[in-house]
Amino acid sequence: MTTQTARAAEKAKAETIDRVVVRLAGDSGDGIQLSGNQLTTSSAIAGNDLSTLPDFPAEIRAPAGTLPGVSGFQISFSSYDIHTPGDQPDALVAFNPAALKVNIGELKPGGLLIVNSDAFQAKNLQKAGYARNPLEDGSLDGFRTLALPITDLNRKTLAGTGLGTREMDRCKNFFTLGILYHVYQRPDDATLRWIEKKFSKDPALKSANLTSFKAGRAYAEATEMFQSTYVVEPAPFPPGLYRNIMGNSALCLGLVAASVKSGRPLFYAGYPITPASPILHELARYREHGILTLQAEDEIAAVSAALGAAFGGALAVTGTSGPGIALKTEAMGLGLMVELPMVVINVQRGGPSTGLPTKPEQADLLQCLFGRHGESPLPILAASSTGDCFDVAVEACRIALKYMVPVILLTDGYLANASEPWKVPSADQIPEFESRLMPPGREKYLPYERDPRTLARAWAVPGMAGYEHRIGGLEKEDVTGNVSYDPENHERMVRLRAEKVERIADELPPTVVDGDPAGELLIVGWGSTRGAIMGAVRRKRAEGKKVSWVHLRCLNPLPRDLGDILRRFRKVVVPELNSGQLALLLRAKYLVDVITHSKVQGRPFKAIEIAEKLDELLEA
């Protein structure tokens, strides 16, 4: 019997289930993220819907074997539409005691637990804070525990390859991955091809990783240690071209699409900061589309370079996280004053200060709204899913060019690194762009003469005869753009700049209320809470509860119809990964008693956490 025939027979005997949640955990050197990404790719090729949650240590070199050094990767793949990586893992793979201790509390009762028993030595147990070996004290009796000597099995597999012990141990993640591919009947062609390509320059490591992966799968098949294996059928996606994508990648593609569609060259300037750095790295790969990138010496230089590029006629973008926003604020205010199109990306992370650099948070909303000198309102958009990062990037660029204003685009560490299947849009699905770029040959140029619809000023590129003008941070005279200290002119300009931002609301689509248009309870969400809110709403509606939901993309200006919607419900709750920032704004603007449901733990919401809050409010 061939391997392919045997696999088909094994799949036929497997139990069919509609969703699986798997979590891998170990030290950073255990290849957790690599293994998770391969499992993700395999599940995408299998046609499943999926959602992932990579979880990186907050310290670059956290001590191996310690609780702060644990790296995790959770993936949920399904035969139906899903939007979160799952509340609780069905299966946990723990490469060492620290990984077990950090994650065991979230494994489902009766869930599958695979541990590398070779790592449960006295030294590692002590590092993880275990007084006794959990593999021997009965504390894991509530799970289907498989304590496998993975390190030893992998070393025996690779004996005779000429590799040293350390090099062999680096392959044990593939041995473990092979076991999981057997348990969940994952296709392995893409992983085998990836190993071939990744290690093509080192034939010994390539052969070792291929051998480990195949041996792990063969070991699981031959020993029949698993009472059941599982099949998750493909999800029914609408027809189209799909790819598996992470949020930062989707955002980059959106910026490139906006550049091509608008006809303006894209210039991106950034300074390395987690979790925004991959935007700079990825955009640097798109030189063939005329994309220019600059790694600046600091955050202030990055935003200033972007502003200079906007003055020169480029579609200018800069990206950072919360600490970088704090440094960019003066130049963002200058961008507002000189009224140039620029997009400022904030991939939010836990704070304050350095805070939790690899963990997600939504705590920069008030900073982005009010954290600049003077009266300086800017448009703010927030992406709500991995794929939505593409659409919001396009929209931010469109608004910046149309209204001649810097636009802030919010994502967070969860969206930046999470994966999902994304339907690639066609060119005609990307909106048309308009800009205030001046055509050559005009007899007279008034820098602050405005479009009567948008109040956007004209945009003249330096070097065009007759369009010479001055820009700077001093207040401008209306229409002429000359420096002005006149009090009445200053107030007029302040109100004009604010009104320009407010007019963006005129083209926002009507706010969609998911559920009854009025009633007992309304959830208002923004950003990455979308998936968890959707999961909670589905659960409550399946129980016969009437819960309505609004999710906001534009946070400044807010939709014109939002106040009326809020007043049609007895209770309004806002789940946020902060202490209640949007709730504070809604209370102040609409005088509605908005209820805060906050979480500030460096982790995204679970659907069950929001569902429990809804039960509490409905029963009160």
Side-chain angles (χ1 to χ4, degrees):
M1 182 183 292
T2 65
T3 302
Q4 187 172 0
T5 305
R7 294 267 168 83
E10 183 68 34
K11 186 173 181 179
K13 295 188 297 182
E15 177 184 345
T16 300
I17 54 178
D18 60 9
R19 184 176 185 176
V20 170
V21 180
V22 178
R23 184 180 299 179
L24 305 168
D27 281 325
S28 294
D30 288 330
I32 300 302
Q33 304 303 321
L34 186 154
S35 298
N37 287 330
Q38 289 306 306
L39 188 56
T40 300
T41 300
S42 174
S43 299
I45 290 173
N48 303 128
D49 197 6
L50 62 90
S51 180
T52 70
L53 175 60
D55 186 18
F56 305 94
E59 299 177 38
I60 295 175
R61 296 189 181 276
T66 64
L67 303 184
V70 172
S71 175
F73 190 103
Q74 183 163 308
I75 174 174
S76 178
F77 50 93
S78 70
S79 59
Y80 63 92
D81 183 36
I82 60 171
H83 299 273
T84 73
D87 288 348
Q88 290 180 291
D90 300 295
L92 169 64
V93 178
F95 279 81
N96 60 24
L100 178 68
K101 189 164 192 177
V102 168
N103 294 280
I104 191 61
E106 297 191 49
L107 181 62
K108 282 183 179 178
L112 175 62
L113 173 62
I114 300 175
V115 297
N116 178 17
S117 59
D118 290 330
F120 282 71
Q121 302 165 358
K123 182 179 179 180
N124 290 337
L125 291 168
Q126 184 180 14
K127 285 183 181 179
Y130 279 114
R132 294 173 295 176
N133 189 337
L135 303 183
E136 300 171 353
D137 65 6
S139 60
L140 304 178
D141 289 348
F143 309 103
R144 292 181 290 141
T145 304
L146 289 175
L148 306 178
I150 293 173
T151 302
D152 183 59
L153 288 169
N154 185 64
R155 287 178 183 177
K156 289 177 179 177
T157 297
L158 300 179
T161 60
L163 295 179
T165 300
R166 184 175 181 181
E167 290 174 310
M168 288 191 288
D169 287 350
R170 289 174 61 190
C171 302
K172 68 178 182 291
N173 62 318
F174 280 111
F175 187 95
T176 310
L177 198 59
I179 294 174
L180 289 175
Y181 275 43
H182 166 71
V183 175
Y184 297 108
Q185 296 296 296
R186 299 288 85 191
D188 55 18
D189 289 349
T191 297
L192 295 174
R193 288 195 301 270
W194 183 89
I195 295 173
E196 293 268 3
K197 182 178 180 180
K198 177 69 175 179
F199 301 100
S200 60
K201 295 181 180 179
D202 193 331
L205 271 180
K206 179 180 72 174
S207 176
N209 282 307
L210 287 169
T211 300
S212 289
F213 177 76
K214 293 175 182 178
R217 186 156 195 166
Y219 173 78
E221 291 171 352
T223 57
E224 298 184 351
M225 67 183 75
F226 298 98
Q227 297 174 351
S228 299
T229 57
Y230 306 94
V231 169
V232 180
E233 297 292 346
F237 290 107
L241 175 64
Y242 287 83
R243 60 167 288 185
N244 187 51
I245 200 166
M246 293 193 296
N248 275 342
S249 298
L251 193 151
C252 289
L253 289 175
L255 295 176
V256 174
S259 174
V260 173
K261 193 81 173 186
S262 67
R264 305 313 305 156
L266 178 69
F267 175 85
Y268 181 91
Y271 177 74
I273 184 170
T274 302
S277 298
I279 300 172
L280 174 62
H281 304 159
E282 183 147 349
L283 283 174
R285 297 164 46 196
Y286 293 105
R287 294 188 186 92
E288 70 272 19
H289 296 291
I291 310 304
L292 297 176
T293 55
L294 169 68
Q295 180 172 318
E297 64 267 30
D298 55 45
E299 296 284 5
I300 298 173
V303 67
S304 299
L307 193 57
F311 179 59
L315 174 55
V317 185
T318 183
T320 185
S321 189
I325 291 292
L327 295 168
K328 293 179 187 290
T329 53
E330 183 177 4
M332 290 163 65
L334 177 59
L336 172 77
M337 173 70 78
V338 298
E339 300 188 45
L340 286 171
M342 177 172 66
V343 175
V344 180
I345 299 165
N346 181 359
V347 187
Q348 299 170 96
R349 70 189 205 186
S353 187
T354 308
L356 305 173
T358 62
K359 313 298 182 183
E361 208 164 84
Q362 292 180 304
D364 293 345
L365 177 57
L366 294 183
Q367 177 186 216
C368 290
L369 274 168
F370 305 120
R372 288 173 299 282
H373 172 59
E375 296 285 349
S376 51
L378 293 179
I380 299 177
L381 305 179
S384 62
S385 70
T386 295
D388 192 44
C389 289
F390 175 91
D391 296 325
V392 174
V394 171
E395 182 68 0
C397 294
R398 188 191 68 81
I399 290 174
L401 292 173
K402 181 175 180 178
Y403 289 86
M404 291 293 289
V405 66
V407 177
I408 298 174
L409 192 168
L410 298 177
T411 72
D412 61 38
Y414 170 41
L415 293 182
N417 297 304
S419 298
E420 69 177 25
W422 174 62
K423 186 177 180 181
V424 180
S426 59
D428 59 4
Q429 291 176 302
I430 299 173
E432 295 298 324
F433 279 69
E434 62 176 279
S435 76
R436 291 281 290 156
L437 196 64
M438 294 292 290
R442 286 276 296 272
E443 293 183 3
K444 187 176 183 181
Y445 173 56
L446 296 170
Y448 282 77
E449 187 176 30
R450 300 181 182 276
D451 184 310
R453 298 173 302 121
T454 64
L455 297 182
R457 79 172 184 90
W459 188 18
V461 175
M464 297 173 68
Y467 291 157
E468 295 86 355
H469 63 289
R470 295 179 297 168
I471 65 170
L474 294 175
E475 182 61 279
K476 306 294 179 290
E477 184 179 63
D478 190 19
V479 182
T480 69
N482 296 329
V483 172
S484 173
Y485 295 99
D486 178 72
E488 286 75 18
N489 177 79
H490 173 56
E491 180 160 351
R492 174 172 172 75
M493 294 299 284
V494 165
R495 297 189 184 281
L496 275 172
R497 290 188 289 260
E499 175 62 21
K500 179 170 68 169
V501 172
E502 280 299 317
R503 288 196 182 187
I504 295 170
D506 292 338
E507 61 177 280
L508 296 179
T511 302
V512 176
V513 180
D514 189 310
D516 294 336
E520 182 69 23
L521 181 59
L522 175 70
I523 307 173
V524 179
W526 69 278
S528 64
T529 58
R530 181 184 184 89
I533 293 174
M534 182 179 292
V537 168
R538 282 178 174 175
R539 294 183 191 192
K540 295 302 104 184
R541 289 180 181 168
E543 297 169 5
K545 308 284 180 62
K546 288 193 173 183
V547 180
S548 299
W549 167 37
V550 162
H551 210 82
L552 301 177
R553 170 182 282 183
C554 191
L555 299 170
N556 193 45
L558 290 166
R560 301 271 193 229
D561 56 359
L562 183 60
D564 179 60
I565 292 170
L566 297 180
R567 295 183 188 98
R568 297 202 300 257
F569 290 85
R570 287 190 61 203
K571 295 178 182 177
V572 178
V573 60
V574 180
E576 297 182 81
L577 298 177
N578 57 47
S579 296
Q581 296 187 13
L582 178 61
L584 177 69
L585 293 171
L586 298 182
R587 289 190 203 104
K589 185 174 180 67
Y590 301 112
L591 302 181
V592 173
D593 186 17
V594 177
I595 300 164
T596 292
H597 181 40
S598 67
K599 180 177 181 178
V600 194
Q601 300 176 5
R603 295 183 177 183
F605 272 111
K606 297 177 182 178
I608 187 63
E609 293 171 330
I610 297 177
E612 289 173 349
K613 182 65 176 181
L614 299 183
D615 284 336
E616 174 191 324
L617 294 172
L618 289 169
E619 293 169 5

